[in-house]
Amino acid sequence: MADIKDVEYVFRRLNETRPAELNDRMSDINLGIGAVLKILDEAGGAVTCGDIAKKMKVSTARVAVLLKKMEAKNLIARSSDKDDARIVYINSTTDGKKLVDELRKTMEEHLSRMIDELGMEKIKTFLDLSAELKSVAEATRPQMPDFFKRNNK
């Protein structure tokens, strides 16, 4: 079994190797906005708040708060179903689609520079190893004590 020095080393290196600038710029709201825009882009059309909540694995109330902020920034537009006013559809606006395109372009440029700098073989090795680490981590995930489990009463 690994000793504490190995564990501390891996933990420290994982923290050191995360792109801090990227993490600092990404708040929960920004991540949520990006996730919603990605869902809308992939759907290619309107989706409901419930659809977004399912894909993001969060509550519809949380999505509703996020959509309100996105609407204020003119990234999305809402429209009601013509037969059932309770159903509200969400679409990307021109500004929302433009932001998705800008984000995609920025990410492609960033990844391209990384590949040019490191080479595709190192990138593939890293990705393969990351997948293996994820698999092992999921297989050995500890069970949370009852104290931390949600109380559904």
Side-chain angles (χ1 to χ4, degrees), residues 37 73-76 92-101:
L37 290 173
K73 293 179 181 204
N74 194 37
L75 298 173
I76 59 141
S92 289
T93 61
T94 303
D95 289 348
K97 290 175 184 174
K98 182 180 174 186
L99 181 57
V100 168
D101 290 341

Side-chain angles (χ1 to χ4, degrees), residues 19-74:
E21 178 185 330
L22 181 63
N23 290 335
D24 291 344
R25 291 187 306 179
M26 295 180 116
S27 68
D28 287 342
I29 292 298
N30 290 341
L31 288 172
I33 289 172
V36 170
L37 290 173
K38 182 177 185 247
I39 290 167
L40 293 172
D41 184 57
E42 289 173 350
V47 297
T48 65
C49 181
D51 295 334
I52 294 169
K54 280 182 193 173
K55 288 203 182 267
M56 292 179 67
K57 298 178 182 169
V58 297
S59 70
T60 53
R62 189 168 191 160
V63 171
V65 169
L66 182 59
L67 294 177
K68 186 174 181 179
K69 291 176 184 192
M70 292 178 71
E71 194 170 28
K73 293 179 181 204
N74 194 37

